[in-house]
Amino acid sequence: MDVKRIREDFPMLKVKSKKGYDLIYFDNAATAFKPYSVIDAVTKYYTNYSVNAHRGDYELGFTVDTLYEEARERVAKFINCEKKEVVFTTGASFGLNQVAYGYAGKHLQPGDVILTDEAEHASNYLPWMNIAEAKGAKLEFIPLDDNGMITPEQVEKMMSNKVKIIAIAHVTNVLGAEIDIKEISRIAHEHGAIIVVDGAQSAPHMKVDMKDLDCDFFAFSGHKLCGSTGVGVLYGKYELLEDMEPMLLGGGSNARYDMCGNILMKNPPYKFEPGTPPIEATLGMKAAIDYIDAIGMDTIYTYEHELRDYMLKKMQSELDNVEIYNADVESSIITFNIKDVFSQDAATYFSDKGISLRSGQHCAKLLMDVLQTPSTLRASLAFYNTKEEVDHFIEVCKSINKESMLDVFF
Ligand code: PMP
């Protein structure tokens, strides 16, 4: 993979920090930079065919409708499912809420159990917490192993005929643990449960194949995949989409309604897509998928893991002032703290040296108790990051001490 060439495609990688450093961006788990082809796709929409989708019986309307549905087709190919199983949403959060309120809200009975775990992002925990309370159901937590992993063996132990839903991430967003969804899907189905997968951190970094994983729902966001913000995907097996209530109602998602309280919804996926969608973002997401597929997801996966290994080994061998929380996890994320330095202060120090990385609790507040720390730093890599950037990061880590911190703050 020619990283130097690839970096030319990203205007953000030419941005300099206020102090003149080349920007080093290690917050890719939060959102990824966009290549020119994505920006062009968005601009092209506003420049050449800036009309609504699924509305107009005129030439530009047909053009946009065609492009919009081609984007759906492209997503279906990307995740290996049927086109009609691709629901466009505003992002992973919306997709997961839609399943919690629209599917679990319809089907859960008092006493039913939802399995989840302490490593989940708030978007795949809070909707389940709420719906469990509303329906008199119970949340139960799959214990994490020493590496913060959920193993199929642990899931198997938790199963009973009360378990109706397993809601877990494919790759967790703090430890980067890659969970064996295929095997957990098998276990879920064997016990008559469904599995809802938060794919926000897997879809951008590894091949995700709905037929192979055999999960029931899978949600992800376009913006972490080098696409635009404001759009995402909810995959659902078609019969489950048919059996789910829409969380929002409005124009475009119904076939008929009357004054006596009757509504006839359209078939999925359209019944979940009321109102004007972010058309430009959807076309941007298609361009992002084209871009990523042209490089090759397996190539990206291998490169990111090699780069992470390089970074981890350097941190372990050259630094004695860091505590690493996920050294034994296969991942493109390193979660750590600088010893005796509060994570936010450290992030400010890194920022002063041109490095953007995340500090805090990363929307996974339950996990902080497991890690026994109030907060962490998180460096999350992408395929456009380089060994040179890692080397600079290591030098900056070495320079953090009480005196150098004072230079930044005073
Ligand atoms: N789940 C995980 C694991 C995430 O990392 C994120 C984004 N931080 C989300 C869900 C939510 O994604 P979005 O904000 O795009 O809806």
Side-chain angles (χ1 to χ4, degrees):
M1 198 176 87
D2 186 351
V3 183
K4 218 168 154 204
R5 239 272 328 113
I6 283 172
R7 286 175 69 85
E8 291 298 312
D9 295 336
F10 290 84
M12 280 302 298
L13 293 173
K14 298 186 177 82
V15 169
K16 294 218 182 263
S17 78
K18 280 187 184 153
K19 285 197 171 169
Y21 288 103
D22 289 334
L23 176 68
I24 295 180
Y25 184 68
F26 286 166
D27 196 17
N28 294 287
T31 199
F33 288 160
K34 326 300 173 201
Y36 283 111
S37 60
V38 169
I39 298 164
D40 288 349
V42 171
T43 308
K44 234 167 132 186
Y45 167 75
Y46 284 122
T47 313
N48 296 344
Y49 29 79
S50 186
V51 304
N52 215 326
H54 299 139
R55 301 285 190 280
D57 292 314
Y58 48 85
E59 194 175 289
L60 286 178
F62 297 139
T63 303
V64 166
D65 284 354
T66 306
L67 291 171
Y68 194 75
E69 288 307 313
E70 277 174 9
R72 198 187 304 277
E73 186 97 50
R74 187 68 186 87
V75 170
K77 192 167 163 230
F78 183 61
I79 62 173
N80 193 23
C81 69
E82 305 298 317
K83 184 181 165 212
K84 63 184 184 180
E85 295 173 320
V86 173
V87 178
F88 286 133
T89 64
T90 58
S93 301
F94 189 94
L96 294 163
N97 274 272
Q98 166 60 60
V99 181
Y101 292 103
Y103 187 86
K106 181 176 174 188
H107 292 284
L108 280 182
Q109 299 296 325
D112 283 348
V113 168
I114 303 168
L115 289 187
T116 186
D117 64 273
E118 289 161 284
E120 294 305 316
H121 187 281
S123 296
N124 197 32
Y125 173 67
L126 296 178
W128 301 111
M129 190 180 89
N130 249 5
I131 202 70
E133 186 173 352
K135 304 295 292 186
K138 247 173 78 185
L139 276 187
E140 288 184 1
F141 291 82
I142 307 159
L144 303 175
D145 75 5
D146 291 345
N147 291 330
M149 298 282 288
I150 300 156
T151 60
E153 293 72 31
Q154 278 295 357
V155 175
E156 182 79 65
K157 278 190 206 152
M158 302 284 296
M159 294 307 292
S160 72
N161 61 2
K162 289 278 174 211
V163 176
K164 295 295 184 300
I165 295 174
I166 302 176
I168 53 176
H170 193 183
V171 172
T172 58
N173 70 309
V174 179
L175 300 177
E178 198 181 306
I179 309 302
D180 185 352
I181 295 298
K182 188 174 171 167
E183 183 56 12
I184 297 174
S185 293
R186 194 194 60 71
I187 295 168
H189 297 149
E190 201 174 83
H191 291 82
I194 66 156
I195 172 165
V196 183
V197 179
D198 176 354
Q201 296 296 344
S202 63
H205 301 285
M206 59 195 282
K207 263 194 184 142
V208 292
D209 179 325
M210 295 305 112
K211 294 215 163 79
D212 184 52
L213 294 177
D214 196 28
C215 54
D216 298 288
F217 292 100
F218 186 98
F220 62 96
S221 302
H223 67 95
K224 293 183 200 279
L225 188 72
C226 297
S228 313
T229 54
V231 70
V233 170
L234 173 65
Y235 157 82
K237 284 184 179 161
Y238 198 70
E239 62 278 14
L240 297 183
L241 290 179
E242 284 181 308
D243 199 16
M244 177 163 78
E245 295 300 320
M247 199 165 69
L248 297 178
L249 297 175
S253 61
N254 63 79
R256 281 180 81 98
Y257 54 88
D258 62 22
M259 291 165 74
C260 308
N262 300 304
I263 313 178
L264 178 63
M265 298 306 294
K266 285 186 179 167
N267 288 329
Y270 305 106
K271 80 173 184 183
F272 302 109
E273 297 179 5
T276 300
I279 304 165
E280 83 289 20
T282 310
L283 303 184
M285 179 166 67
K286 175 186 179 289
I289 291 173
D290 285 340
Y291 182 84
I292 282 184
D293 264 355
I295 299 173
M297 201 46 123
D298 288 339
T299 309
I300 287 174
Y301 183 88
T302 306
Y303 177 81
E304 289 179 352
H305 279 67
E306 277 170 12
L307 190 62
R308 193 263 188 181
D309 283 351
Y310 176 79
M311 185 161 169
L312 182 66
K313 284 200 182 96
K314 278 204 133 192
M315 287 175 82
Q316 287 172 324
S317 61
E318 295 183 28
L319 304 176
D320 53 14
N321 61 343
V322 293
E323 182 169 1
I324 301 171
Y325 297 97
N326 62 342
D328 297 323
V329 176
E330 281 268 318
S331 163
S332 58
I333 293 174
I334 297 184
T335 290
F336 66 105
N337 266 318
I338 305 285
K339 285 179 190 158
D340 303 324
V341 181
F342 180 53
S343 67
Q344 235 169 335
D345 292 344
T348 308
Y349 184 89
F350 279 111
S351 171
D352 189 66
K353 311 290 179 219
I355 299 172
S356 304
L357 45 71
R358 189 48 74 100
S359 63
Q361 302 174 332
H362 321 290
C363 299
K365 295 190 192 315
L366 302 181
L367 187 67
M368 296 301 126
D369 285 343
V370 179
L371 301 180
Q372 298 185 344
T373 176
S375 64
T376 73
L377 291 160
R378 180 186 69 180
S380 51
L381 305 176
F383 57 90
Y384 44 67
N385 290 128
T386 63
K387 284 187 175 169
E388 291 72 31
E389 290 179 324
V390 170
D391 293 343
H392 179 68
F393 163 80
I394 295 289
E395 292 314 308
V396 173
C397 284
K398 283 180 191 166
S399 73
I400 300 186
N401 56 47
K402 273 192 191 134
E403 274 167 27
S404 61
M405 290 288 291
L406 289 178
D407 282 348
V408 171
F409 284 99
F410 300 103

